Amino acid sequence: MSNKSEKLVSLLAGQPVIPVLRIADAKQAVPLARALARGGLKAIEITLRTPDALEAIRRVAGEVEESVVGAGTILDPAQYDAAAQAGSRFIVSPGITKELLKASADSDIPFLPGAITPGEIMAARQVGLTFLKFFPAEQAGGAAFLKALASPIADVKFCPTGGVSATNAAGYLGLPNVICVGGSWVAPDDLVVNGEWSRIEDLARAAAELRKPA
């Protein structure tokens, strides 16, 4: 595994579920991150799908010592740089492009790009990226597809995201080429909007107990 992929794995190690968060109001970011951390989910991905996303990352990075905040839905180098400057510890993209690979090469912030086809996965592997996001996981073939990749591309590991839920996460985590999964079920929009942090903490605790088989 490459140095950058190893760095990313070390950030996410031991956490079976990475919360994928859409934060509409930056004021919600700090209490949300703290609730997830109390439940055992310290590494979180805040997606750049709202105008407040960068400010949310900035606040968590600056105020929640126990959290490891990353940025998701990064589509171009400008977003990569903005997320890094906001304090992101890792960068996640739904796909992989030459421009994003160059931004990653020029940055110390580790990159988790999305890949679903054998060709995309092999292209990422050739440039030293051996820990990838598998997105959209359920729509792209799910756990059965990932299981089929485990033998021919054995040295590449994945974080499946997209359609992953409390009901099917264990099926992914049981695969030898899956390190963790990404999911939004631990912080549903309605609970975030209503500030129901204790309920989110409970969901996080249940997710943190989903362990890979020994």
Side-chain angles (χ1 to χ4, degrees), residues 12 18 30 35-36 53 58 67 85 98 106 111 120 126-127 148 165 173-174 186 191 201 212:
L12 308 182
I18 309 302
V30 167
L36 291 167
R58 196 172 291 113
S67 288
Q85 290 174 18
K98 290 179 181 178
D106 293 340
F111 182 38
E120 290 172 341
Q126 284 181 346
V127 296
S165 67
L173 291 167
V186 293
L191 298 188
E201 182 181 340
K212 286 183 67 62

Side-chain angles (χ1 to χ4, degrees), residues 3-213:
N3 287 340
K4 280 197 173 178
S5 290
E6 285 179 356
K7 182 178 179 181
L8 185 54
V9 169
S10 72
L11 285 176
L12 308 182
Q15 186 171 311
V17 179
I18 309 302
V20 179
L21 309 174
R22 181 185 179 278
I23 298 178
D25 184 345
K27 292 194 295 292
Q28 298 162 341
V30 167
L32 174 57
R34 286 178 175 153
L36 291 167
R38 286 195 302 271
L41 302 181
K42 295 182 179 182
I44 62 175
E45 174 192 335
I46 296 177
T47 61
L48 265 64
R49 298 181 187 180
T50 68
D52 273 19
L54 285 172
E55 178 59 22
I57 291 168
R58 196 172 291 113
R59 292 190 185 193
V60 173
E63 299 179 41
V64 191
E65 242 179 74
E66 61 270 33
S67 288
V68 177
V69 62
T73 321
I74 299 297
L75 304 178
D76 55 52
Q79 290 183 333
Y80 197 117
D81 291 343
Q85 290 174 18
S88 297
R89 302 273 298 279
F90 59 96
I91 301 290
V92 185
S93 175
I96 188 167
T97 66
K98 290 179 181 178
E99 293 78 12
L100 281 172
L101 287 175
K102 185 178 186 309
S104 168
D106 293 340
S107 173
D108 291 331
I109 310 300
F111 182 38
L112 183 66
I116 55 172
T117 68
E120 290 172 341
I121 293 163
M122 290 166 64
R125 181 181 178 275
Q126 284 181 346
V127 296
L129 294 170
T130 52
F131 180 30
L132 304 172
K133 173 176 176 170
F134 184 71
F135 173 84
E138 282 292 285
Q139 296 83 348
F145 189 95
L146 272 176
K147 184 178 181 180
L149 294 174
S151 291
I153 318 177
D155 60 341
V156 178
K157 308 301 180 186
F158 296 94
C159 176
T161 303
V164 181
S165 67
T167 57
N168 63 14
Y172 285 100
L173 291 167
L175 299 176
N177 55 347
V178 168
I179 289 177
C180 56
V181 301
S184 59
W185 80 88
V186 293
D189 287 345
D190 58 333
L191 298 188
V192 174
V193 168
N194 294 324
E196 296 188 52
W197 311 126
S198 62
R199 289 185 63 188
I200 288 173
E201 182 181 340
D202 290 342
L203 289 171
R205 187 168 289 108
E209 291 171 358
L210 289 168
R211 296 295 172 186
K212 286 183 67 62

